[in-house]
Amino acid sequence: MSSVTRLFHFLARLPLPLMQRLGAGLGWVVWWLSPSYRRNFKANVAAAGVSWQAARPAVAAIGRMVAELPWVWMRPHADTLGDMVKWDGAEHFEAAMQAGKGAIIMSPHLGAWEIGAQAIAEKFGPTHGPMVALFRPARKAWLEPLVANARTRPYLDSAPTSLAGVRTLIRTLRNGGYTAILPDQVPPLGQGVWAPFFGRDVYTMTLLAKLAQQTGARVLLTWCERLPPGQGFCMHMRPWDAPELQDNTATPEQAAAAVNRAVEAMVRQAPGQYL
């Protein structure tokens, strides 16, 4: 076991509320130590048209996200989240699954998305089978076993970020299963298009739209709200019926623009928790 893994095991034993409070401080320490980070942060806030008062909590939230990782990644597989996670809109997921064409959980880097994936698998897996998601190996070798442990949990299956992995997702959805996509993940070169996002053209993935167009799967706007330390989390799920994701004649640029508009709307609801 590497020293980093031992450190993660140690930190995972500390109470999660304590780690979240320490993480909030860490977020502000990084903020004050990095002028370039402050400039980029403020520029993004201005581009989004969000007030500083609304966006300011994101400084601490980013630190909390980092501090949560040992607990999230090293949590024993037998331990359940239980009442730690509250649910707002789980009935929309059930309705999507009952339609029989599968469900795509569209979850941007908003709130505690790592917890969100585990919570979804834990709640719906026993009834609907495992959630299958693309898994990109960690860029750092020392991170690989930690990330792998976090993403190979009960009812949480992974597929490689390759053509074979995409085919796995298509089969999963056509068989009435479900997957999760991070729509604001920067795609590899050649697997995205340029589309507006908060007033700028950004390189946007086309995978989510293609999956919806090819399978007819329902799309659910989903995010895991991080409540104040000690109060747990709240999963929000809402159906999203964008015409561009149901129309095979829509161009990749049109579909990507629709996805980005949906992410913008989600961010504006909770700018203080967007990465």
PDB file of all heavy atoms in Angstrom, residues 157-174:
ATOM      1  N   ASP A 157     -21.292   0.191 -12.454  1.00  0.00           N
ATOM      2  CA  ASP A 157     -20.394  -0.437 -13.421  1.00  0.00           C
ATOM      3  C   ASP A 157     -19.748   0.625 -14.304  1.00  0.00           C
ATOM      4  O   ASP A 157     -20.322   1.694 -14.536  1.00  0.00           O
ATOM      5  CB  ASP A 157     -21.141  -1.435 -14.303  1.00  0.00           C
ATOM      6  CG  ASP A 157     -21.577  -2.679 -13.545  1.00  0.00           C
ATOM      7  OD1 ASP A 157     -21.107  -2.850 -12.403  1.00  0.00           O
ATOM      8  OD2 ASP A 157     -22.386  -3.453 -14.083  1.00  0.00           O
ATOM      9  N   SER A 158     -18.565   0.328 -14.804  1.00  0.00           N
ATOM     10  CA  SER A 158     -17.855   1.272 -15.655  1.00  0.00           C
ATOM     11  C   SER A 158     -17.576   0.672 -17.020  1.00  0.00           C
ATOM     12  O   SER A 158     -17.478  -0.545 -17.181  1.00  0.00           O
ATOM     13  CB  SER A 158     -16.541   1.700 -14.993  1.00  0.00           C
ATOM     14  OG  SER A 158     -15.704   0.577 -14.794  1.00  0.00           O
ATOM     15  N   ALA A 159     -17.487   1.557 -18.003  1.00  0.00           N
ATOM     16  CA  ALA A 159     -17.122   1.177 -19.366  1.00  0.00           C
ATOM     17  C   ALA A 159     -15.973   2.075 -19.798  1.00  0.00           C
ATOM     18  O   ALA A 159     -15.889   3.229 -19.365  1.00  0.00           O
ATOM     19  CB  ALA A 159     -18.313   1.333 -20.313  1.00  0.00           C
ATOM     20  N   PRO A 160     -15.062   1.580 -20.632  1.00  0.00           N
ATOM     21  CA  PRO A 160     -13.913   2.399 -21.035  1.00  0.00           C
ATOM     22  C   PRO A 160     -14.320   3.566 -21.926  1.00  0.00           C
ATOM     23  O   PRO A 160     -15.341   3.506 -22.626  1.00  0.00           O
ATOM     24  CB  PRO A 160     -13.033   1.399 -21.812  1.00  0.00           C
ATOM     25  CG  PRO A 160     -13.994   0.369 -22.318  1.00  0.00           C
ATOM     26  CD  PRO A 160     -15.049   0.245 -21.264  1.00  0.00           C
ATOM     27  N   THR A 161     -13.531   4.625 -21.881  1.00  0.00           N
ATOM     28  CA  THR A 161     -13.790   5.787 -22.724  1.00  0.00           C
ATOM     29  C   THR A 161     -13.253   5.505 -24.122  1.00  0.00           C
ATOM     30  O   THR A 161     -12.242   6.057 -24.547  1.00  0.00           O
ATOM     31  CB  THR A 161     -13.135   7.046 -22.141  1.00  0.00           C
ATOM     32  OG1 THR A 161     -11.750   6.754 -21.877  1.00  0.00           O
ATOM     33  CG2 THR A 161     -13.801   7.473 -20.862  1.00  0.00           C
ATOM     34  N   SER A 162     -13.957   4.644 -24.822  1.00  0.00           N
ATOM     35  CA  SER A 162     -13.569   4.217 -26.166  1.00  0.00           C
ATOM     36  C   SER A 162     -14.834   3.908 -26.942  1.00  0.00           C
ATOM     37  O   SER A 162     -15.950   3.977 -26.410  1.00  0.00           O
ATOM     38  CB  SER A 162     -12.684   2.963 -26.089  1.00  0.00           C
ATOM     39  OG  SER A 162     -13.421   1.877 -25.540  1.00  0.00           O
ATOM     40  N   LEU A 163     -14.664   3.564 -28.224  1.00  0.00           N
ATOM     41  CA  LEU A 163     -15.826   3.202 -29.036  1.00  0.00           C
ATOM     42  C   LEU A 163     -16.546   2.010 -28.433  1.00  0.00           C
ATOM     43  O   LEU A 163     -17.786   1.952 -28.431  1.00  0.00           O
ATOM     44  CB  LEU A 163     -15.370   2.888 -30.465  1.00  0.00           C
ATOM     45  CG  LEU A 163     -16.485   2.604 -31.487  1.00  0.00           C
ATOM     46  CD1 LEU A 163     -17.459   3.769 -31.559  1.00  0.00           C
ATOM     47  CD2 LEU A 163     -15.874   2.320 -32.856  1.00  0.00           C
ATOM     48  N   ALA A 164     -15.776   1.064 -27.897  1.00  0.00           N
ATOM     49  CA  ALA A 164     -16.400  -0.098 -27.254  1.00  0.00           C
ATOM     50  C   ALA A 164     -17.230   0.330 -26.054  1.00  0.00           C
ATOM     51  O   ALA A 164     -18.324  -0.205 -25.808  1.00  0.00           O
ATOM     52  CB  ALA A 164     -15.325  -1.096 -26.824  1.00  0.00           C
ATOM     53  N   GLY A 165     -16.731   1.319 -25.286  1.00  0.00           N
ATOM     54  CA  GLY A 165     -17.474   1.807 -24.143  1.00  0.00           C
ATOM     55  C   GLY A 165     -18.765   2.497 -24.558  1.00  0.00           C
ATOM     56  O   GLY A 165     -19.808   2.325 -23.904  1.00  0.00           O
ATOM     57  N   VAL A 166     -18.724   3.272 -25.637  1.00  0.00           N
ATOM     58  CA  VAL A 166     -19.928   3.936 -26.135  1.00  0.00           C
ATOM     59  C   VAL A 166     -20.955   2.901 -26.582  1.00  0.00           C
ATOM     60  O   VAL A 166     -22.161   3.034 -26.317  1.00  0.00           O
ATOM     61  CB  VAL A 166     -19.577   4.895 -27.283  1.00  0.00           C
ATOM     62  CG1 VAL A 166     -20.855   5.454 -27.922  1.00  0.00           C
ATOM     63  CG2 VAL A 166     -18.695   6.030 -26.781  1.00  0.00           C
ATOM     64  N   ARG A 167     -20.488   1.844 -27.247  1.00  0.00           N
ATOM     65  CA  ARG A 167     -21.413   0.780 -27.653  1.00  0.00           C
ATOM     66  C   ARG A 167     -22.067   0.133 -26.438  1.00  0.00           C
ATOM     67  O   ARG A 167     -23.245  -0.233 -26.468  1.00  0.00           O
ATOM     68  CB  ARG A 167     -20.657  -0.271 -28.473  1.00  0.00           C
ATOM     69  CG  ARG A 167     -20.232   0.216 -29.866  1.00  0.00           C
ATOM     70  CD  ARG A 167     -19.633  -0.934 -30.652  1.00  0.00           C
ATOM     71  NE  ARG A 167     -19.172  -0.503 -31.959  1.00  0.00           N
ATOM     72  CZ  ARG A 167     -17.952  -0.727 -32.441  1.00  0.00           C
ATOM     73  NH1 ARG A 167     -17.053  -1.374 -31.710  1.00  0.00           N
ATOM     74  NH2 ARG A 167     -17.615  -0.309 -33.646  1.00  0.00           N
ATOM     75  N   THR A 168     -21.290   0.002 -25.358  1.00  0.00           N
ATOM     76  CA  THR A 168     -21.849  -0.557 -24.127  1.00  0.00           C
ATOM     77  C   THR A 168     -22.969   0.328 -23.602  1.00  0.00           C
ATOM     78  O   THR A 168     -24.023  -0.162 -23.175  1.00  0.00           O
ATOM     79  CB  THR A 168     -20.746  -0.699 -23.061  1.00  0.00           C
ATOM     80  OG1 THR A 168     -19.773  -1.627 -23.513  1.00  0.00           O
ATOM     81  CG2 THR A 168     -21.326  -1.184 -21.738  1.00  0.00           C
ATOM     82  N   LEU A 169     -22.777   1.643 -23.635  1.00  0.00           N
ATOM     83  CA  LEU A 169     -23.817   2.560 -23.173  1.00  0.00           C
ATOM     84  C   LEU A 169     -25.061   2.455 -24.049  1.00  0.00           C
ATOM     85  O   LEU A 169     -26.189   2.464 -23.535  1.00  0.00           O
ATOM     86  CB  LEU A 169     -23.305   4.002 -23.182  1.00  0.00           C
ATOM     87  CG  LEU A 169     -22.165   4.354 -22.227  1.00  0.00           C
ATOM     88  CD1 LEU A 169     -21.958   5.860 -22.199  1.00  0.00           C
ATOM     89  CD2 LEU A 169     -22.432   3.832 -20.829  1.00  0.00           C
ATOM     90  N   ILE A 170     -24.874   2.373 -25.355  1.00  0.00           N
ATOM     91  CA  ILE A 170     -26.018   2.260 -26.262  1.00  0.00           C
ATOM     92  C   ILE A 170     -26.799   0.980 -25.972  1.00  0.00           C
ATOM     93  O   ILE A 170     -28.042   0.986 -25.893  1.00  0.00           O
ATOM     94  CB  ILE A 170     -25.557   2.302 -27.731  1.00  0.00           C
ATOM     95  CG1 ILE A 170     -25.008   3.700 -28.066  1.00  0.00           C
ATOM     96  CG2 ILE A 170     -26.712   1.945 -28.672  1.00  0.00           C
ATOM     97  CD1 ILE A 170     -24.385   3.805 -29.440  1.00  0.00           C
ATOM     98  N   ARG A 171     -26.084  -0.141 -25.797  1.00  0.00           N
ATOM     99  CA  ARG A 171     -26.763  -1.402 -25.472  1.00  0.00           C
ATOM    100  C   ARG A 171     -27.509  -1.289 -24.150  1.00  0.00           C
ATOM    101  O   ARG A 171     -28.643  -1.761 -24.007  1.00  0.00           O
ATOM    102  CB  ARG A 171     -25.757  -2.546 -25.406  1.00  0.00           C
ATOM    103  CG  ARG A 171     -25.280  -3.053 -26.745  1.00  0.00           C
ATOM    104  CD  ARG A 171     -24.617  -4.419 -26.605  1.00  0.00           C
ATOM    105  NE  ARG A 171     -23.492  -4.380 -25.686  1.00  0.00           N
ATOM    106  CZ  ARG A 171     -22.237  -4.103 -26.043  1.00  0.00           C
ATOM    107  NH1 ARG A 171     -21.970  -3.836 -27.317  1.00  0.00           N
ATOM    108  NH2 ARG A 171     -21.261  -4.092 -25.155  1.00  0.00           N
ATOM    109  N   THR A 172     -26.865  -0.655 -23.165  1.00  0.00           N
ATOM    110  CA  THR A 172     -27.487  -0.496 -21.851  1.00  0.00           C
ATOM    111  C   THR A 172     -28.806   0.261 -21.961  1.00  0.00           C
ATOM    112  O   THR A 172     -29.829  -0.144 -21.396  1.00  0.00           O
ATOM    113  CB  THR A 172     -26.536   0.243 -20.894  1.00  0.00           C
ATOM    114  OG1 THR A 172     -25.355  -0.545 -20.699  1.00  0.00           O
ATOM    115  CG2 THR A 172     -27.193   0.500 -19.551  1.00  0.00           C
ATOM    116  N   LEU A 173     -28.787   1.378 -22.690  1.00  0.00           N
ATOM    117  CA  LEU A 173     -29.996   2.189 -22.828  1.00  0.00           C
ATOM    118  C   LEU A 173     -31.067   1.466 -23.637  1.00  0.00           C
ATOM    119  O   LEU A 173     -32.258   1.501 -23.282  1.00  0.00           O
ATOM    120  CB  LEU A 173     -29.652   3.532 -23.466  1.00  0.00           C
ATOM    121  CG  LEU A 173     -28.747   4.449 -22.630  1.00  0.00           C
ATOM    122  CD1 LEU A 173     -28.306   5.667 -23.444  1.00  0.00           C
ATOM    123  CD2 LEU A 173     -29.450   4.888 -21.346  1.00  0.00           C
ATOM    124  N   ARG A 174     -30.674   0.801 -24.700  1.00  0.00           N
ATOM    125  CA  ARG A 174     -31.659   0.082 -25.515  1.00  0.00           C
ATOM    126  C   ARG A 174     -32.287  -1.083 -24.754  1.00  0.00           C
ATOM    127  O   ARG A 174     -33.406  -1.509 -25.079  1.00  0.00           O
ATOM    128  CB  ARG A 174     -31.003  -0.405 -26.814  1.00  0.00           C
ATOM    129  CG  ARG A 174     -30.778   0.737 -27.814  1.00  0.00           C
ATOM    130  CD  ARG A 174     -30.098   0.272 -29.074  1.00  0.00           C
ATOM    131  NE  ARG A 174     -30.047   1.361 -30.054  1.00  0.00           N
ATOM    132  CZ  ARG A 174     -29.293   1.352 -31.157  1.00  0.00           C
ATOM    133  NH1 ARG A 174     -28.519   0.295 -31.416  1.00  0.00           N
ATOM    134  NH2 ARG A 174     -29.310   2.370 -31.984  1.00  0.00           N
TER     135      ARG A 174
END
